[in-house]
Amino acid sequence: MYFHSINLSSLEYYFKKWPEFYLLVFLCFLSIRLYLKTKNQVLVHWPIVGTLPSLIQNAHRIHDWTVDISNSFGGTIVRKGPVFGSFEILFTCDPCNAKYILSNNFSNFHKGLGFEETFDILGEGLLGVDSHFWLAQRRIARMTFNSKKVRNIIANTGQKVVQDALLPLLAHVAKQSSVVDLEDVFLRYTFDTSVSIIFGRNPNYLSTSFPSNKFAKAMDDATEAVFYRHIVPSSWWKLSRRLMIGSNERKLKKAWTTIDQLLTKYITAKREDMAKGTEESDLLQVYMGLKEGEKNDQLLLKMSGDKFFRDTALTYLFAGRDTTASGLAWFFWLVSKNPCVEAKILEELKLVFSKNTKGEYGLTTKKCPWVFDADDVTGLVYLHAALCESLRLYPSVPLIRKGAREDDILPDGTVVKSEMMVIISTYAMGRMEWVWGKDCLEFKPERWIDEDGKLNHDILSKLISFSLGPRVCIGKDMAFVLMKLAASAMLFNFHVEVLEGQNIQPTPSITLKMKNGLMVRIRERVVL
């Protein structure tokens, strides 16, 4: 009926005045026909706009879309980009190609065109730069994180937050018989541990009152805004940033201001502490206390200023908070669906508990919430394997973005052109039958353990959740320690019951968070 109400004389007017109107009508007609024909197809290259319609159509399920693409087209494909076909995108989930890009021929693959501008909030931290400045930072970061002092800071801080905040909060929830979003709990846990490790100050975000925190809120808003920049054409978000229009860029600017204000406060306070001669007890103080001989002379001034400490601290916060929290959330969801895995982890924990107590409790139940220390969790082979298996299926960083400096050829024969955008899907890789076997969708920690009951290093090499090669995550060991400290204490002292009927799926984001959280009930566990 709407069609019949159109004034045909008006259409005639447009056709006569603007002959180009014929072309517009034709393109609209062609687009509608193409959409109706291809709406159920996984990936379609449209005239003019390239793959943009397919990207927008699947933006809400972008990670599962990468699995569909891989199953439909193979482990590696090349397509025109989503912005008027002006560039090409190489997409791969092939482990051999990923290893070649990230490790074997690392020097030819940089962060990619526009990466630094897209992630401009990070400044010149380790995650945001590729230059000689990155090499100097990397050397210092490796030296710092490998030091016994920093390892002790991480282990002691994690254990303290678990004992003083995480377990009391869970005991409170259990006593109240209330429902809690476990992913939110883990985000609070990793925020408190990260801020404490970096600045030596606990924000107490993990509290029974579930307080708000403007620093954590600003980080969430910034992460969301940066992800949005990957969905829309770069010309649009850059224009929005310049004119400060649209909610996304305004949200990012506000978050940026909040983050800078709070980081300035922390850095100033730390300089005051050091002036008083306080003992090194956090990562920032260790960095500030580095001697000149431990730095690159040419970059000494740059690496001693507040801007450097701001970028470094923020990089570690972004790298450590969301990734570790999401890893824990997916782990507990998978364990809840696999009681046999939970039972095996408990058996492993009981052995460590019995060894540590040396019969102190006899045959009675444990007297209080028990917290395992860093030495305890280091030897937990099955727990480590279960975490690896969780990260295989739900990697904290589901997509890795790169760019090629020069033309290249990948191990599978795919030709890479210079400045081509390269996307590695670690999420799709974990779901490929030709990579992991017919049981690729099953949660099987045993696949990571060899015949001698030790971790299988050949299989471990296929886990690229923390990247590979020169850019492998500096905080990988830190992340595993914090995850193991939380997971061991929680599983040993409590039973996590996931509420039925939840729609558990990944949200479109840089880190693999859950779209609707993870609602659970907590019950105290009696361990004999």
Side-chain angles (χ1 to χ4, degrees), residues 24-41:
L24 178 61
V25 171
F26 174 74
L27 288 175
C28 289
F29 173 76
L30 184 63
S31 298
I32 293 172
R33 285 289 303 273
L34 185 59
Y35 172 76
L36 292 175
K37 185 178 180 180
T38 63
K39 65 179 182 178
N40 293 323
Q41 295 184 22

Side-chain angles (χ1 to χ4, degrees), residues 9 34 43 46 48 57 91 155 165 169 184 225 229 280 283 295 314 316 343 402 444 471 483 513 521 523 526:
S9 63
L34 185 59
L43 182 64
W46 289 62
I48 303 177
Q57 184 180 8
F91 170 87
L169 182 144
D184 177 57
R229 286 179 170 183
E280 292 182 353
L283 191 58
K295 299 178 182 177
L314 185 59
Y316 288 146
K402 291 291 181 181
K444 291 180 60 177
R471 274 196 180 270
M483 285 192 291
K513 294 182 180 178
R521 292 187 186 277
R523 306 187 190 283
V526 177

Side-chain angles (χ1 to χ4, degrees), residues 121 184 187-188 191-192 195 203 205 210-226 247-248 250-260 262 266 314 317-318 321-322 513:
I121 190 173
D184 177 57
L187 284 167
R188 292 170 181 273
F191 183 74
D192 277 2
V195 173
Y205 191 38
F210 289 92
S212 60
N213 185 286
K214 58 182 180 180
F215 198 167
K217 176 65 165 58
M219 289 182 64
D220 290 337
D221 289 344
T223 302
E224 181 181 338
V226 170
S247 60
N248 190 69
R250 288 201 302 268
K251 180 191 292 185
L252 180 58
K253 181 176 177 60
K254 182 179 178 181
W256 195 325
T257 300
T258 300
I259 289 171
D260 279 355
L262 293 170
Y266 277 126
L314 185 59
L317 279 172
F318 270 113
R321 182 210 177 202
D322 288 3
K513 294 182 180 178

Side-chain angles (χ1 to χ4, degrees), residues 95-229:
C96 294
N97 288 345
K99 184 178 181 180
Y100 181 82
I101 294 167
L102 299 174
S103 182
N104 295 350
N105 199 20
F106 166 80
S107 60
N108 191 42
F109 294 92
H110 57 115
K111 301 296 287 185
L113 289 176
F115 184 93
E116 292 185 27
E117 190 172 9
T118 303
F119 290 86
D120 51 4
I121 190 173
L122 294 178
E124 295 183 292
L126 271 172
L127 292 179
V129 294
D130 262 321
S131 63
H132 60 292
F133 187 37
W134 170 79
L135 288 172
Q137 289 190 70
R138 179 78 181 185
R139 180 177 60 81
I140 290 178
R142 187 187 302 111
M143 175 187 67
T144 302
F145 274 85
N146 285 337
S147 69
K148 184 177 180 180
K149 180 188 299 180
V150 170
R151 288 180 177 273
N152 287 338
I153 289 173
I154 293 170
N156 294 337
T157 301
Q159 186 176 347
K160 181 174 176 58
V161 173
V162 168
Q163 182 170 306
D164 296 346
L166 179 60
L167 293 186
L169 182 144
L170 295 175
H172 173 77
V173 171
K175 185 177 181 180
Q176 299 294 322
S177 298
S178 55
V179 175
V180 66
D181 180 355
L182 194 57
E183 184 178 51
D184 177 57
V185 170
F186 289 139
L187 284 167
R188 292 170 181 273
Y189 163 68
T190 55
F191 183 74
D192 277 2
T193 52
S194 296
V195 173
S196 298
I197 289 168
I198 296 169
F199 300 109
R201 287 168 167 79
N202 190 337
N204 295 314
Y205 191 38
L206 185 64
S207 168
T208 55
S209 62
F210 289 92
S212 60
N213 185 286
K214 58 182 180 180
F215 198 167
K217 176 65 165 58
M219 289 182 64
D220 290 337
D221 289 344
T223 302
E224 181 181 338
V226 170
F227 177 78
Y228 180 79
R229 286 179 170 183

Side-chain angles (χ1 to χ4, degrees), residues 252-314:
L252 180 58
K253 181 176 177 60
K254 182 179 178 181
W256 195 325
T257 300
T258 300
I259 289 171
D260 279 355
Q261 289 174 346
L262 293 170
L263 286 176
T264 298
K265 180 181 177 182
Y266 277 126
I267 293 170
T268 300
K270 185 51 57 181
R271 288 196 183 280
E272 293 174 354
D273 288 345
M274 293 181 67
K276 297 176 183 177
T278 56
E279 183 180 353
E280 292 182 353
S281 60
D282 55 79
L283 191 58
L284 182 59
Q285 192 166 347
V286 171
Y287 261 85
M288 288 182 170
L290 289 175
K291 298 180 177 62
E292 294 187 11
E294 297 170 324
K295 299 178 182 177
N296 186 306
D297 292 338
Q298 296 178 351
L299 300 171
L300 177 60
L301 182 62
K302 191 173 186 179
M303 299 181 72
S304 300
D306 284 1
K307 174 66 165 59
F308 168 72
F309 294 130
R310 177 265 183 206
D311 294 348
T312 299
L314 185 59

